[in-house]
């Protein structure tokens, strides 16, 4: 999922005009907001109402806190904070746990275009090479951090955008390979 997302977004960013950094950022962010926020908001609202009416007395009020984090595309940080472990059978998961991956993707979308457009703007002569170098370095550093951090804090490593960045950057690197 993350590799494909990195591939698609990098391809999109590389096709945008190189001249106007602020206009490119405005266009990119407005498209992401219009594409993702309405559907995510609707899903959170429907989940909250359904949980309240279906679960009634068993409604877990922690879901309200989870909804706030999901709304801010920070569900992954909430899961790190609560030490939520996806893989332990029998532990109740939040109805919004799946928002962690969308949160990581949105955090990537928040930073990545600024980096790519800045590299493009500052390094006009070797734009593609500079982007490829950045992506190779990112894949290397993030994968190393993921490997290292998993042995000391597996939950944080699983949900962290820093340990997942290598996957997004790998997709971006593939998008930079000439056809």
């Amino acid at each position: 999922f993350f590799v494909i997302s990195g591939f698609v977004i990098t391809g999109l960013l590389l096709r945008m005009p190189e001249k106007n950094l602020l206009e490119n950022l405005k266009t990119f962010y407005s498209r992401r907001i219009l594409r993702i926020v309405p559907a995510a908001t609707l899903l959170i609202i429907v989940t909250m109402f359904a949980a309240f009416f279906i679960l009634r007395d068993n409604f877990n009020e922690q879901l309200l806190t989870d909804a706030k984090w999901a709304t801010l595309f920070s569900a992954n940080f909430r899961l790190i904070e609560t030490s939520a472990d996806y893989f332990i059978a029998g532990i109740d998961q939040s109805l919004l746990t799946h928002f962690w991956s969308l949160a990581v993707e949105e955090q990537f979308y928040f930073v990545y275009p600024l980096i790519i457009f800045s590299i493009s703007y500052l390094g006009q002569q070797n734009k593609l090479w500079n982007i490829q170098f950045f992506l190779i370095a990112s894949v290397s550093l993030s994968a190393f951090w993921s490997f290292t951090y998993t042995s000391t804090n597996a939950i944080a490593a699983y949900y962290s955008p820093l340990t997942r960045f290598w996957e997004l950057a790998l997709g971006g690197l593939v998008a930079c390979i000439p056809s």
Side-chain angles (χ1 to χ4, degrees):
F1 173 75
F2 290 137
V3 174
I4 292 169
S5 184
F7 175 81
V8 170
I9 292 303
T10 302
L12 174 89
L13 296 174
L14 292 174
R15 289 188 301 274
M16 293 182 84
E18 297 178 18
K19 300 293 183 205
N20 193 337
L21 175 68
L22 294 177
E23 188 63 33
N24 283 349
L25 289 171
K26 179 182 166 189
T27 299
F28 178 81
Y29 291 132
S30 63
R31 286 181 183 169
R32 293 305 112 209
I33 289 167
L34 291 173
R35 181 174 168 261
I36 293 169
V37 171
T41 304
L42 179 64
L43 181 61
I44 292 168
I45 291 169
V46 168
T47 300
M48 297 301 297
F49 277 107
F52 182 78
F53 288 111
I54 292 171
L55 298 175
R56 296 195 185 260
D57 292 337
N58 294 323
F59 180 80
N60 184 348
E61 291 194 18
Q62 286 299 313
L63 186 59
L64 297 171
T65 302
D66 295 342
K68 290 176 194 173
W69 286 81
T71 300
L72 297 172
F73 297 106
S74 300
N76 58 325
F77 295 123
R78 167 78 172 149
L79 295 169
I80 291 170
E81 175 191 297
T82 60
S83 298
D85 194 332
Y86 239 147
F87 304 106
I88 297 177
I91 291 182
D92 288 338
Q93 298 292 326
S94 169
L95 296 174
L96 299 172
T97 297
H98 60 284
F99 267 82
W100 79 266
S101 60
L102 182 61
V104 168
E105 188 178 35
E106 292 307 307
Q107 292 154 16
F108 167 74
Y109 288 166
F110 186 70
V111 175
Y112 189 67
L114 183 59
I115 293 169
I116 296 301
F117 291 146
S118 296
I119 291 171
S120 297
Y121 182 76
L122 297 173
Q124 291 287 328
Q125 299 294 346
N126 299 315
K127 171 186 146 182
L128 192 58
W129 189 90
N130 291 337
I131 291 171
Q132 289 170 334
F133 179 78
F134 164 75
L135 292 170
I136 290 168
S138 296
V139 167
S140 301
L141 292 171
S142 177
F144 177 76
W145 178 245
S146 178
F147 178 76
T148 304
Y149 199 34
T150 297
S151 64
T152 59
N153 190 344
I155 292 170
Y158 186 79
Y159 295 117
S160 172
L162 298 177
T163 57
R164 293 293 183 156
F165 190 74
W166 73 269
E167 297 169 78
L168 293 147
L170 182 62
L173 192 57
V174 171
C176 290
I177 297 172
S179 56

